[in-house]
Amino acid sequence: MKKAIVTVIGQDRVGIIAEVSVMLAGCGINVLDISQTLLQDTFTMVMLVDVAHITVPFAEVKRILNDLGERMDMSVRIQREDIFQAMHTV
């Protein structure tokens, strides 16, 4: 299993989780775990996803999620889990 981390940050509104999840499913990405919270009106979400069976190149997934974020006026990013862990381990 190959894992990645998806982060979503922006103004809270209806449908954020649905839009991101539909986009991921369309790329053959399975959501393994999800954490979300509201900090006042700012929505933050971290998803652990399985990218072992993606149907498009990883670079294309990054572009698709970035474009989705722009349409949603949010930051939507994906990083491979090993890179994410290396950046956030002291």
Side-chain angles (χ1 to χ4, degrees), residues 15-82:
I16 296 170
I17 297 170
E19 288 183 56
V20 174
S21 296
V22 165
M23 189 65 66
L24 292 171
C27 294
I29 297 172
N30 185 40
V31 176
L32 301 172
D33 200 358
I34 183 172
S35 173
Q36 65 162 8
T37 191
L38 281 174
L39 302 172
Q40 295 186 4
D41 290 334
T42 302
F43 176 87
T44 60
M45 177 170 65
V46 178
M47 303 171 100
L48 176 64
V49 298
D50 179 3
V51 295
H53 304 288
I54 61 174
T55 56
V56 297
F58 192 79
E60 180 70 6
V61 173
K62 290 176 82 166
R63 187 196 61 75
I64 289 168
L65 290 176
N66 185 63
D67 291 351
L68 175 64
E70 287 180 9
R71 287 193 305 275
M72 295 171 62
D73 196 28
M74 303 185 86
S75 171
V76 182
R77 303 284 183 257
I78 188 169
Q79 288 182 295
R80 294 190 186 278
E81 182 187 38
D82 54 346

